[in-house]
């Protein structure tokens, strides 16, 4: 019974580190005063003014854009870059969400296993994002559902990747958790995320 109780406490602690927010990532960042906000982007940092990137960059303002102009491009994939966040947060993590060709190639070519390539990429993307935030000494992060906008990736895969990457981070640092607020602009995405959170964090034996 003591072991079961200890496992339950660990699961509860891990679950508390993943918060699902219905709305924009900008609103989530402001509501919870997070230290870092993830901003999806292309390698060249082009801003077309819509989606999560458009909202984050508009909210961050001129000081952020000035800092961003100093960042060399193209950005590498799976290597988020932290930039002073202007009016929005202390730091913004510019995160390339376009799926690299090598992930297609690793999963049997461009015309097959699309879902498998997305799953591998999104899990590694979130792993690297969380590691970057942690290495910078930060412990609160707001993210949109990365990859689901202009990149058109499956929301359920993104939700699973977020939860799996956070569980891994928690298992590696059980006394120094990273709190992630995932902002789901669409209610369907929020429902998916809550379902995945419940499935992984309350039935998994990883704890």
């Amino acid at each position: 019974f003591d072991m079961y109780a200890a496992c339950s406490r660990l699961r509860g602690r891990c679950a508390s580190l993943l918060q699902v927010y219905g709305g924009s990532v900008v609103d989530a960042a402001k509501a919870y005063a997070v230290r870092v906000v993830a901003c999806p982007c292309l390698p060249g940092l082009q801003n077309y003014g819509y989606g999560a990137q458009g909202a984050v960059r508009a909210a961050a303002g001129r000081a952020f854009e000035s800092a961003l102009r100093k960042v060399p491009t193209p950005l590498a994939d799976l290597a988020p870059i932290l930039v002073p966040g202007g009016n929005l947060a202390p730091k913004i993590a510019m995160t390339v969400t376009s799926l690299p060709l090598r992930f297609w190639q690793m999963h049997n070519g461009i015309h097959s296993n699309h879902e498998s390539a997305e799953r591998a990429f999104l899990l590694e993307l979130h792993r690297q994002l969380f590691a970057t935030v942690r290495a910078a000494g930060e412990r609160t992060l707001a993210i949109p559902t990365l990859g689901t906008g202009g990149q058109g990736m499956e929301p359920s895969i993104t939700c699973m990747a977020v939860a799996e990457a956070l569980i891994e981070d928690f298992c590696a640092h059980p006394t120094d958790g990273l709190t992630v607020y995932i902002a789901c602009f669409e209610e369907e995405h929020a429902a998916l995320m809550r379902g995945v959170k419940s499935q992984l964090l309350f039935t998994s034996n990883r704890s």
Side-chain angles (χ1 to χ4, degrees):
F1 178 82
D2 289 344
M3 181 65 72
Y4 176 82
C7 288
S8 294
R9 285 194 296 271
L10 283 172
R11 286 188 178 129
R13 173 60 179 151
C14 188
S16 73
L17 298 174
L18 179 59
Q19 298 295 321
V20 182
Y21 182 89
S24 78
V25 69
V26 169
D27 290 343
K30 292 178 178 178
Y32 296 103
V34 299
R35 296 284 303 172
V36 185
V37 179
C39 181
C41 65
L42 296 170
L45 294 177
Q46 302 94 326
N47 181 19
Y48 297 107
Y50 61 82
Q53 179 181 192
V56 168
R57 292 178 69 161
R62 292 182 179 178
F64 167 72
E65 291 295 335
S66 178
L68 194 60
R69 283 193 289 272
K70 299 175 184 177
V71 174
T73 58
L75 299 187
D77 51 69
L78 299 176
I81 299 293
L82 295 178
V83 181
N87 298 328
L88 182 57
K91 296 168 186 171
I92 291 176
M94 300 306 294
T95 307
V96 175
T97 54
S98 48
L99 199 153
L101 178 60
R102 68 180 184 277
F103 278 85
W104 293 113
Q105 295 170 333
M106 285 190 298
H107 293 271
N108 300 324
I110 292 178
H111 300 295
S112 62
N113 273 333
H114 179 88
E115 186 175 297
S116 180
E118 285 187 6
R119 182 177 295 109
F121 169 66
L122 287 168
L123 177 56
E124 191 59 28
L125 178 70
H126 286 89
R127 284 171 174 161
Q128 295 304 320
L129 175 59
F130 297 168
T132 297
V133 172
R134 177 174 289 285
E138 306 295 0
R139 294 296 181 270
T140 56
L141 168 68
I143 61 173
T145 49
L146 294 170
T148 63
Q151 298 300 325
M153 298 185 198
E154 189 63 39
S156 61
I157 298 177
T158 293
C159 292
M160 187 69 74
V162 172
E164 288 185 351
L166 190 59
I167 289 171
E168 289 180 4
D169 182 84
F170 176 76
C171 289
H173 309 278
T175 62
D176 186 26
L178 173 67
T179 301
V180 175
Y181 300 90
I182 179 165
C184 302
F185 195 73
E186 299 181 31
E187 179 53 38
E188 177 186 356
H189 295 180
L192 281 171
M193 190 68 249
R194 293 187 188 102
V196 167
K197 175 181 174 178
S198 178
Q199 175 188 349
L200 287 185
L201 293 174
F202 292 103
T203 65
S204 171
N205 288 323
R206 297 187 190 200
S207 300

